[in-house]
Amino acid sequence: MRFRSVTAPSAPIAEAELPRWDLTTLFPSLDSPEFAAGFAELLDAIDSLAVMFDADGVRGGVAVPFGEAQIINLERVLTAMNGVERSLEEIGAYLYGHVTTNSRDDLAQARYSELQERRVAFTKLQTRFNAWVGTLPIDDLIDRSALAADHAFPLRLLHQAARHLMSEAEEALAAELAPSSGAAWDKLHGNLSSRIVASVEIEGVSRPLAMSEIRNLAMDADRSLRMRAWQAEIAAWEANALPLAAALNGVKGQTLTLARRRGWGDPLDASLFWSTIDREILDAMIAETRASFPDFRRYLRTKARVLGRSELAWFDLFAPVGDAGQIWSWEAGTAFIVDRFGAYNGRMAGLAQRSIDERWIDAGPRPGKAGGAYCMSLVGDQSRILTNYSPSYEAVSTLAHELGHAYHNLNEAALTPLQKRTPMILAETASTFCETIVKEAALAEATPEQQLYILEQSLQGACQVTVDILSRFDFERAVFAARAERELSVRELNQMILEAQDGTYGDALDPEARHPYMWAVKGHYYDPDLPFYNYPYLFGLLFGLGLYDAGARDPMTFAERYDGMLAATGLASATELAARFGIDLRSRAFWRSSLDVIRADIDRFQALVE
């Protein structure tokens, strides 16, 4: 599953105006006999896999000399693993789709909880499989087995990762405790934050709004309304801060403990390993991004002048600038995306049109629905997309972003689950690419006032994925360092996030009007399996911009090579995939060239203003 936090819109939209997705492709309903049978079959398959593992000796231990029996054994086990994981992903996505669109659905919550409990057994088998792969003569098997050769990269990655496993008993205990520890804290955050309601005065009337609706008011043209929404949001997070701080402390404490026991220097080392990059690449990217902060602050100060302010408050960050030119209704926004994707290639446009026709998208905000946006693979080549759409260009851009994830899923549809385990840094590549297609097309057709609006909307997003993302990265590093010693209070977490914001936004934002509860807002902090889910967005933005530039230089062959790269994001390292396009990820010059694309937009924005 891929997630993107978003801000959007002006006034809340009636939920009846926007489409909801159709999950019946997989099962008619949660209480249907078909779902009950599918769920039971999955549980039986997990049990059968455990019997196979016991019979075939699939676990860590002493390496066994290479032989024909190993080839047969690996192919049988690998096929069974992929089959069970595919079923688990499909049913997991089906249930996740229910709980994130209605956190009050008790049946969905119960079945999802049951699946999480039963997933423990599969997680333990995955760990045994990983440990077993670490004992195999992997190169010999890849040379002799076509199936192993097809899975060469993920098998070699698991072979290396086996060095960072605890004993089988310890890993089994960690898996058994997960649903009532890290996963439980993550669930608490999701359920609690999706149910928060606060009142905001709109046109003289106090209206109770869900948190997603309150955050959507950040783009209203009325500054006083934006400020009231921000004040209501801060107050609501403050009222719920204690349990959320407990959740964050619990998740980070567990992540630190397991990283230490598995032999990682710190959680960032583990994150970089699974991202298939190293600190040299990360440091080059971050150093160039920090060097660009004066340009982003120049953009923020220019925006402040347009709004008649000496500096921006947090609730001004997403204020509209320029002339939108049109109300981006759902119909207008989706038609625009399909048309502009078609200018790139018909396959991408067909995917976008299909997502609309086949009801892959749950579009509008409503109480009980998760905020932000995400895309997840459901079954076969189908995806499902959650958004909180508003009639704004930002919402169109967000939808294009999520459709980029769906296009990525389409290119991986023929692969096995093990083959398409895409690292987080590459999961954002197609989404950034699709956002850029829409932005450039919108600019080409716009008047100067409309260009100002579109550029500013694009720069809002770029600022979030550079300046704000690095504040989140800095905050998470600081939290891990402090949490290694003790738990952190709400006050300390607030202070740490404000210090991180000061380090990236600098004097471009009013220090008295920032967001001390962003640690409570962002769900990525609470996933125990995904520490540092922040720098991958930065990587995805800059890598995607670099690829877009490569496509502009060689449009004749690019589309085919690009689709091939998307299909291979789980089959090669990021470094290797980048090299196919002549990109050296260790070179600061590459990251600088991608940031130059954003600098050019800042220059253009400033020129239009002046």
Side-chain angles (χ1 to χ4, degrees):
M1 296 173 195
R2 291 154 186 160
F3 298 85
R4 184 197 184 215
S5 298
V6 295
T7 54
S10 34
I13 301 170
E15 58 186 83
E17 296 177 11
L18 295 173
R20 298 192 187 189
W21 58 25
D22 176 18
L23 298 176
T24 61
T25 305
L26 205 53
F27 300 108
S29 67
L30 269 174
D31 55 2
S32 66
E34 291 87 348
F35 176 77
F39 198 85
E41 288 173 8
L42 171 61
L43 301 186
D44 288 344
I46 294 173
D47 291 341
S48 296
L49 190 64
V51 171
M52 175 190 289
F53 275 28
D54 289 339
D56 293 349
V58 178
R59 53 174 26 102
V62 180
V64 179
F66 176 69
E68 194 67 27
Q70 282 184 319
I71 297 176
I72 297 170
N73 206 19
L74 175 65
E75 291 182 345
R76 181 172 61 249
V77 170
L78 191 54
T79 300
M81 278 283 294
N82 277 320
V84 175
E85 188 166 348
R86 181 177 289 109
S87 296
L88 189 59
E89 287 176 352
E90 291 174 356
I91 291 179
Y94 180 77
L95 290 171
Y96 191 76
H98 279 280
V99 300
T100 54
T101 50
N102 183 8
S103 64
R104 297 176 174 88
D105 186 334
D106 291 338
L107 176 59
Q109 292 283 10
R111 299 316 296 267
Y112 190 62
S113 175
E114 183 180 356
L115 180 69
Q116 295 302 92
E117 292 290 341
R118 298 305 296 267
R119 190 191 294 269
V120 169
F122 183 71
T123 301
K124 290 159 69 174
L125 294 174
Q126 280 184 309
T127 304
R128 284 177 59 178
F129 176 77
N130 294 0
W132 180 61
V133 169
T135 70
L136 300 178
I138 204 68
D139 291 331
D140 291 332
L141 287 166
I142 289 169
D143 288 340
R144 294 281 300 278
S145 165
L147 185 63
D150 288 341
H151 292 77
F153 180 77
L155 286 174
R156 286 192 170 109
L157 197 66
L158 293 178
H159 193 267
Q160 297 176 53
R163 304 169 192 164
H164 292 281
L165 288 174
M166 299 182 289
S167 70
E168 183 178 326
E170 289 172 315
E171 289 289 355
L173 178 60
E176 289 172 12
L177 289 174
S180 56
S181 54
W185 290 121
D186 188 24
K187 182 179 179 181
L188 171 66
H189 175 271
N191 287 342
L192 180 58
S193 61
S194 68
R195 298 187 189 202
I196 294 175
V197 174
S199 293
V200 179
E201 182 185 321
I202 301 176
E203 297 179 348
V205 178
S206 180
R207 298 179 56 182
L209 300 176
M211 182 56 74
S212 60
E213 295 173 304
I214 293 171
R215 288 181 58 75
N216 279 351
L217 292 172
M219 283 189 67
D220 198 279
D222 182 349
R223 189 173 196 266
S224 64
L225 177 56
R226 295 198 307 271
M227 182 172 66
R228 292 195 302 274
W230 172 76
Q231 290 170 337
E233 180 189 347
I234 296 297
W237 289 119
E238 183 177 11
N240 291 277
L242 195 60
L244 294 177
L248 188 62
N249 275 294
V251 168
K252 296 313 182 191
Q254 174 180 312
T255 300
L256 281 164
T257 299
L258 291 176
R260 183 171 59 251
R261 294 297 296 267
R262 287 171 176 152
W264 296 107
D266 62 37
L268 182 58
D269 287 335
S271 174
L272 291 171
F273 174 82
W274 292 112
S275 292
T276 70
I277 61 173
D278 54 31
R279 290 205 184 227
E280 182 183 356
I281 294 172
L282 180 71
D283 290 346
M285 177 181 71
I286 288 180
E288 278 303 321
T289 304
R290 292 195 194 280
S292 73
F293 284 172
D295 295 292
F296 281 101
R297 292 168 186 166
R298 174 164 55 93
Y299 147 66
L300 292 170
R301 292 190 192 99
T302 302
K303 179 170 182 173
R305 290 202 306 275
V306 175
L307 296 175
R309 314 296 303 178
S310 59
E311 58 188 353
L312 294 180
W314 189 273
F315 52 84
D316 295 321
L317 281 172
F318 308 107
V321 167
D323 177 15
Q326 68 177 88
I327 299 298
W328 290 91
S329 68
W330 175 256
E331 292 74 16
T334 52
F336 185 81
I337 289 172
V338 172
D339 182 67
R340 298 324 184 262
F341 279 10
Y344 169 70
N345 75 16
R347 189 165 180 253
M348 184 179 284
L351 179 279
Q353 187 62 57
R354 186 180 170 201
S355 72
I356 298 162
D357 294 342
E358 298 180 10
R359 294 173 54 206
W360 292 6
I361 306 169
D362 194 289
R366 57 184 180 270
K369 180 178 175 180
Y374 72 77
C375 175
M376 64 180 179
S377 176
L378 181 67
V379 59
D381 63 355
Q382 296 186 36
S383 295
R384 291 297 183 270
I385 294 169
L386 179 145
T387 71
N388 283 273
Y389 193 86
S390 67
S392 67
Y393 173 78
E394 166 64 11
V396 175
S397 178
T398 295
L399 180 57
H401 179 107
E402 301 307 335
L403 284 167
H405 287 310
Y407 189 69
H408 195 160
N409 293 342
L410 175 69
N411 280 283
E412 291 185 315
L415 302 178
T416 68
L418 186 58
Q419 288 172 324
K420 58 184 181 183
R421 289 184 185 175
T422 295
M424 294 184 293
I425 57 168
L426 298 175
E428 296 302 321
T429 301
S431 52
T432 299
F433 191 88
C434 287
E435 268 190 273
T436 307
I437 288 175
V438 167
K439 182 197 78 173
E440 294 300 327
L443 285 172
E445 300 178 9
T447 66
E449 273 293 309
Q450 292 166 358
Q451 289 177 19
L452 186 67
Y453 174 83
I454 293 165
L455 276 171
E456 205 282 317
Q457 292 285 308
S458 177
L459 288 171
Q460 281 182 29
C463 189
Q464 285 294 292
V465 181
T466 51
V467 177
D468 199 70
I469 280 291
L470 281 190
S471 76
R472 298 183 222 169
F473 176 79
D474 292 343
F475 167 75
E476 191 161 8
R477 293 199 78 175
V479 167
F480 273 125
R483 182 63 184 85
E485 303 299 325
R486 59 175 175 80
E487 290 189 348
L488 301 167
S489 67
V490 170
R491 182 186 61 78
E492 288 173 313
L493 291 171
N494 287 355
Q495 184 61 34
M496 292 167 77
I497 197 73
L498 289 173
E499 288 174 358
Q501 289 169 6
D502 184 64
T504 58
Y505 286 100
D507 59 3
L509 282 189
D510 180 354
E512 301 303 318
R514 294 185 180 169
H515 202 311
Y517 290 97
M518 284 306 291
W519 58 268
V521 176
K522 296 300 179 183
H524 295 158
Y525 292 132
Y526 296 83
D527 190 328
D529 299 321
L530 295 175
F532 290 103
Y533 203 162
N534 33 55
Y535 72 82
Y537 282 109
L538 175 60
F539 187 104
L541 171 68
L542 300 183
F543 188 50
L545 289 175
L547 287 175
Y548 187 88
D549 183 59
R553 293 196 308 269
D554 183 17
M556 298 300 294
T557 66
F558 178 79
E560 183 177 353
R561 290 190 296 136
Y562 179 70
D563 286 1
M565 185 210 69
L566 293 179
T569 52
L571 299 174
S573 70
T575 306
E576 179 186 333
L577 292 172
R580 296 181 186 181
F581 297 88
I583 294 171
D584 178 6
L585 296 180
R586 289 185 171 80
S587 168
R588 287 184 58 167
F590 165 69
W591 303 109
R592 190 179 310 124
S593 67
S594 291
L595 286 158
D596 283 343
V597 175
I598 306 173
R599 286 189 186 93
D601 280 352
I602 294 173
D603 292 341
R604 190 174 178 183
F605 172 72
Q606 194 167 20
L608 285 167
V609 167
E610 294 176 353

